[in-house]
Amino acid sequence: MRISINSFMGKAPRIAPQKLRAEQGQVATNVDLYAGELRPMARPATLGKLVAGNVKALYLYQDRWLSFTEKADFVQGPIHEDSLNRVYCSFEHREPAMFKNDDMSVDSAGDDAVSLRALGVPAPDSALSVGVSGGTGDVKESRTYAVTYVTDLGEEGDISPASAIVDVKSESTVSLTGIPVPPAGRFIAKKRIYRSNTGSADTKFQFVAEIDAAVETYSDSMASGDLGETLSTEGFVAPPSDMRGLIALPSGIMAGFTGKTICFSEPWHPYAWPKKYQLTTNYDIVGLGRIGSVLVVLTSALVYLVQCADPATASMDSFDDIAPCVSKEGIVSSRWGVIYPSTQGLVSVTMAGVNLITRDLFTRREWEALKPETIHGYIHADKYIGFHHPDSGGKGFIVDPVEPTARLVDIPLNAVAGYVRPEDDLCLAVPEGDGHKVLSWAQNTLSPHVMQWRSKDFRSPHPLNFSTAKVMCDPPDIVTDEEWAAVRDELIKKDGDDIKANPGGCLNDGPLNRYAMNGSRLDILAATYSPPAPVVFRLYGDGTERHACEVVDGTPFRLPGGYSAQSWELEVTGSRPVKEIHLATSVSELN
């Protein structure tokens, strides 16, 4: 009897080990399967370190890593030529916010941080008082006044309640008093006064004057023909304080949710969230994704699609499939549709419908063992990379939505948060000691992972003993210790040149803890390379390890005798590509 494995595939936990195809594995960890052979994946490259503990969200802002202790969403502001580089964010347990480039700081632990500004402009909650003096002739018009708040960034909010209606003659002066004082901490810099021409409740207000936020009185004697523009920010209220799931859509629109309510911003005005744009679902919303300009709303039961090229005309429909989303952080928008963890497995939503893309990989029992409610996922190189925290500890997996050979691979990495840079570089926060490392996924090509792959359970028709084996593995292009020393020396020289060009040296020249005290900028560099692990072959007979040996080339080698078995499993580990594995009862049969 002979066992030959000429190509390799990933895992399929739903299939019994003895029912797997010859190419499929029971174990496939840190392995790249896209070439038909076993190749070790590249290790992550270390980008930096965080002092903070309990990191749950990660964001790269102007080359500085920001970490948060609660789950969060971040959207770059859709503002033309925004010199402030505004970023809008929503959180698990605090109100939506915004920060900009001059809000950067360093927290008490020494990590980069930002001062958050509550999103939105509050509307004045009381009407101002009015009185008329002077004037000639008969009453010329009736009018009413109102006021808005304006932030230091020029963001104007909703209008106050209207004042009492006053009758005004020619050349009358209207005294405005009790102009509302804005609340503290909302960065209100100005107030804008508006008035109507007729006093009708339906009349549009027109601009009269702008005054400083602290001023509480104003005298108006402006002629009606000199009034300014019509009020355009009516209904520009702040988003709900518990709104989550912030996401950007085309045409300058943002969306979020609270409970069963979908919220939309005013196009190109991400601080304004008119209530008239809100839509309601039948079930609690878990998270949001998008397909072009279509918002995908994932709930505890159904999937809704919202056509929202313009929030004023948004319309909503749903699919009939019951496909509940169980993890907001597991939702990704990709060219394969919106992918998310459901109760049954990973689901993709396209305009055509809802599809369980891991149907061939998991039954509900295997999927639930992953604790899908803990999954946070990312799309990288067209693959879904997910991290989860079952009882056995944090780990990850890769699912390829379309490639059959690499459908499912494990990654034993305890990432707790991540961020995908626009250049499609997945960055992960990984706990280390009292803080975290920030890693760039699969970027350290100098030092591949140690891979592990175990075959299906091959069954022989009767007990037997395999006498010989052959593992085809060619030496890969891996940096030797001597080559790495040369590369490191060159990087050290470059580092020295950088220091000479920008010596710094002041105690406050950079953020606290950016570099270790008495440490070196080469600390991260030193961890970049580790020697490749040799390929080790293991043979299991009837569940017991029968032989283990290091393999250096494709030369056949002997296996021990003195036993027989009917169940056979083959395993290889190491950091060198493996092309084929063969097992036979004789050397002649092997060749």
Side-chain angles (χ1 to χ4, degrees):
M1 179 179 175
R2 171 176 172 152
I3 295 175
S4 290
I5 305 175
N6 299 306
S7 61
F8 301 87
M9 297 177 66
K11 297 173 54 181
R14 73 169 294 150
I15 303 175
Q18 68 274 18
K19 298 295 184 180
L20 291 168
R21 293 167 53 179
E23 306 86 15
Q24 290 177 304
Q26 295 184 67
V27 176
T29 303
N30 288 335
V31 61
D32 181 341
L33 299 164
Y34 287 92
E37 62 184 19
L38 298 177
R39 293 180 178 177
M41 293 169 53
R43 291 181 189 270
T46 302
L47 297 177
K49 296 180 181 179
L50 298 170
V51 179
N54 195 31
V55 172
K56 293 186 179 179
L58 188 68
Y59 187 74
L60 180 64
Y61 184 68
Q62 298 182 341
D63 298 323
R64 298 169 72 173
W65 286 106
L66 303 176
S67 62
F68 298 83
T69 57
E70 60 181 304
K71 298 170 183 177
D73 309 280
F74 304 94
V75 175
Q76 194 75 29
I79 298 173
H80 179 61
E81 295 183 352
D82 182 17
S83 61
L84 299 178
N85 295 308
R86 280 168 268 207
V87 173
Y88 297 83
C89 38
S90 60
F91 299 92
E92 188 174 19
H93 298 301
R94 53 177 158 173
E95 63 185 331
M98 182 271 284
F99 62 85
K100 49 188 175 41
N101 51 21
D102 57 358
D103 293 328
M104 295 296 296
S105 61
V106 177
D107 63 22
S108 58
D111 282 331
D112 289 329
V114 290
S115 300
L116 297 171
R117 300 165 58 118
L119 187 56
V121 182
D125 56 6
S126 61
L128 48 80
S129 299
V130 292
V132 181
S133 61
T136 59
D138 297 329
V139 173
K140 184 178 181 180
E141 64 180 5
S142 298
R143 67 175 70 149
T144 182
Y145 288 82
V147 65
T148 63
Y149 292 148
V150 182
T151 69
D152 57 346
L153 300 179
E155 301 165 331
E156 184 177 8
D158 197 10
I159 198 164
S160 70
S163 71
I165 298 173
V166 291
D167 295 328
V168 181
K169 301 177 182 180
S170 296
E171 300 181 1
S172 292
T173 296
V174 180
S175 299
L176 310 180
T177 59
I179 300 176
V181 177
R186 298 305 294 263
F187 302 94
I188 307 300
K190 300 288 184 180
K191 292 185 280 197
R192 288 179 183 165
I193 299 170
Y194 292 84
R195 83 180 197 210
S196 67
N197 280 328
T198 64
S200 167
D202 294 328
T203 297
K204 295 294 184 181
F205 284 89
Q206 289 182 266
F207 178 74
V208 175
E210 183 175 86
I211 59 176
D212 289 339
V215 176
E216 298 182 48
T217 62
Y218 184 79
S219 294
D220 174 32
S221 57
M222 183 181 294
S224 296
D226 294 332
L227 292 175
E229 70 276 7
T230 301
L231 174 72
S232 61
T233 61
E234 185 175 2
F236 278 27
V237 299
S241 60
D242 59 349
M243 187 184 78
R244 299 185 61 203
L246 195 65
I247 188 172
L249 297 166
S251 302
I253 304 167
M254 291 187 186
F257 72 90
T258 173
K260 299 178 181 179
T261 302
I262 310 164
C263 309
F264 295 100
S265 75
E266 185 71 24
W268 313 113
H269 293 79
Y271 70 91
W273 295 74
K275 293 182 179 179
K276 63 183 180 181
Y277 294 159
Q278 294 180 355
L279 299 173
T280 303
T281 62
N282 298 93
Y283 300 93
D284 287 336
I285 301 170
V286 179
L288 307 174
R290 75 175 186 90
I291 305 170
S293 63
V294 176
L295 182 70
V296 179
V297 182
L298 306 169
T299 76
S300 58
L302 299 179
V303 175
Y304 294 81
L305 299 182
V306 181
Q307 303 280 350
C308 53
D310 181 348
T313 58
S315 61
M316 183 168 63
D317 200 357
S318 67
F319 292 112
D320 294 332
D321 309 67
I322 300 296
C325 179
V326 296
S327 172
K328 171 187 164 297
E329 282 64 42
I331 302 169
V332 300
S333 298
S334 75
R335 70 190 185 107
W336 311 120
V338 174
I339 301 175
Y340 69 93
S342 183
T343 52
Q344 302 286 344
L346 279 183
V347 169
S348 77
V349 180
T350 65
M351 298 302 293
V354 176
N355 179 36
L356 182 61
I357 61 176
T358 56
R359 187 183 304 276
D360 61 325
L361 300 177
F362 299 99
T363 65
R364 185 161 185 161
R365 182 181 65 180
E366 287 96 20
W367 180 248
E368 288 178 344
L370 301 183
K371 290 200 171 178
E373 67 276 8
T374 69
I375 291 175
H376 54 106
Y378 311 90
I379 199 74
H380 181 261
D382 284 340
K383 298 184 285 290
Y384 184 96
I385 302 179
F387 299 91
H388 58 113
H389 290 79
D391 296 335
S392 56
K395 57 187 70 174
F397 61 87
I398 302 174
V399 170
D400 192 309
V402 296
E403 175 58 51
T405 62
R407 292 282 286 129
L408 177 62
V409 171
D410 288 329
I411 41 177
L413 182 66
N414 180 23
V416 295
Y419 170 73
V420 179
R421 292 196 279 194
E423 55 267 33
D424 194 29
D425 181 15
L426 173 58
C427 304
L428 302 167
V430 177
E432 182 187 56
D434 294 331
H436 292 73
K437 292 187 296 184
V438 179
L439 304 179
S440 178
W441 173 254
Q443 293 298 308
N444 185 1
T445 56
L446 293 172
S447 184
H449 270 296
V450 176
M451 65 182 179
Q452 181 185 15
W453 188 89
R454 181 181 288 196
S455 74
K456 66 168 289 186
D457 182 357
F458 291 94
R459 298 296 174 95
S460 58
H462 52 78
L464 55 81
N465 176 263
F466 284 103
S467 64
T468 186
K470 179 169 63 174
V471 178
M472 306 297 295
C473 55
D474 295 333
D477 184 16
I478 293 179
V479 177
T480 65
D481 291 339
E482 293 77 13
E483 291 171 328
W484 167 240
V487 171
R488 189 173 189 274
D489 288 343
E490 184 175 341
L491 292 173
I492 289 173
K493 180 180 181 301
K494 179 180 182 299
D495 188 77
D497 292 341
D498 290 344
I499 293 173
K500 290 176 183 177
N502 183 22
C506 299
L507 183 58
N508 292 323
D509 196 44
L512 183 64
N513 285 353
R514 173 59 63 86
Y515 305 111
M517 188 71 77
N518 294 326
S520 170
R521 292 168 64 181
L522 299 173
D523 289 344
I524 293 174
L525 177 62
T528 301
Y529 176 71
S530 60
V535 173
V536 174
F537 169 81
R538 289 181 173 84
L539 176 65
Y540 294 86
D542 288 343
T544 301
E545 183 179 308
R546 304 293 184 175
H547 183 64
C549 65
E550 184 176 325
V551 179
V552 295
D553 54 31
T555 303
F557 53 90
R558 289 286 184 182
L559 298 172
Y563 74 93
S564 61
Q566 279 189 277
S567 170
W568 302 93
E569 298 163 86
L570 292 64
E571 181 181 282
V572 288
T573 60
S575 300
R576 296 167 56 191
V578 173
K579 300 179 180 299
E580 299 176 11
I581 304 175
H582 302 279
L583 199 65
T585 53
S586 67
V587 174
S588 60
E589 187 179 37
L590 189 67
N591 295 325

